[in-house]
Amino acid sequence: MEETSKQVRKLSHLARLSLTPEEEGELAGRLEQMVGYLQALSQVEEGAEPDTPCAVPFRPDGVAPSLDRDKLLAQAPLTRDGYVVTPRSVGEGGEA
């Protein structure tokens, strides 16, 4: 754990973060947990089959017809220059 704490201190210094000792301890614990997961993954044999089948089968990719642009724009409440106008979602409020 001490080695991981040293690594967290070094990384926080490089990232110019000031961490409290509690935050350092929490991050060190998380880092050790992640390393444990990676070590467990490295033990999996390449090409190993999963224990359970995939619940949702994959569908094949393919080209399919999309919506007609003019019909779509005709259904929109507000359009401008061939685009659907929506309210702002970031920044100041106000009109679209």
Side-chain angles (χ1 to χ4, degrees):
M1 181 81 165
E2 182 56 37
E3 184 63 31
T4 308
S5 295
K6 285 181 184 179
Q7 291 172 332
V8 168
R9 282 193 293 278
K10 183 176 180 180
L11 289 172
S12 66
H13 174 73
L14 292 172
R16 299 199 177 3
L17 298 173
S18 37
L19 302 175
T20 64
E22 293 82 21
E23 291 171 326
E24 281 181 13
E26 182 182 340
L27 289 175
R30 287 184 181 182
L31 184 59
E32 280 190 352
Q33 189 177 28
M34 285 187 269
V35 169
Y37 292 146
L38 291 174
Q39 288 173 341
L41 284 175
S42 69
Q43 301 300 316
V44 175
E45 294 179 25
E46 192 169 323
E49 293 295 321
D51 291 339
T52 57
C54 182
V56 179
F58 294 112
R59 65 171 173 78
D61 287 337
V63 178
S66 62
L67 298 173
D68 181 68
R69 181 182 176 99
D70 294 328
K71 287 182 182 178
L72 176 72
L73 291 174
Q75 295 177 26
L78 183 60
T79 62
R80 186 178 304 140
D81 299 325
Y83 295 97
V84 176
V85 178
T86 62
R88 286 179 171 237
S89 60
V90 177
E92 298 285 326
E95 292 186 38

